[in-house]
Amino acid sequence: AAPAEGARTDLAAALAQAVIGFLAGPDRQRLRACHAPRCVRYFLKEHPRQQWCKPSCGNRARVARHQERHRRTA
């Protein structure tokens, strides 16, 4: 069953209000794009050395670097 028309409008308004609140707040400076190959996610940077949105993205980036290094030497 589809939600009522007013529920969609309420949800959209709540999301828009949350986005405006986030972008106007202090956390917006911690927003980063994930550096892993093929990842399109964004995350809030919790640690100065954090580069990826989740551990599996970090592993994918390390594997890609390893393969690139071995591709150049072969």
Side-chain angles (χ1 to χ4, degrees):
E5 188 61 36
R8 287 184 183 168
T9 304
D10 292 345
L11 177 60
L15 275 170
Q17 194 171 24
V19 168
I20 290 168
F22 173 77
L23 292 176
D27 283 341
R28 77 175 185 281
Q29 295 175 349
R30 295 184 352 197
L31 184 66
R32 300 287 189 274
C34 184
H35 291 288
R38 299 180 315 275
C39 185
V40 296
R41 294 181 184 204
Y42 287 83
F43 64 96
L44 290 180
K45 190 171 186 174
E46 301 289 335
H47 187 273
R49 292 174 52 188
Q50 184 178 2
Q51 299 178 31
W52 305 292
C53 64
K54 55 188 179 176
S56 60
C57 280
N59 187 51
R60 189 175 11 190
R62 286 187 288 276
V63 166
R65 279 196 315 255
H66 174 79
Q67 289 176 342
E68 183 61 32
R69 278 194 309 264
H70 287 285
R71 210 175 292 139
R72 280 191 243 142
T73 60

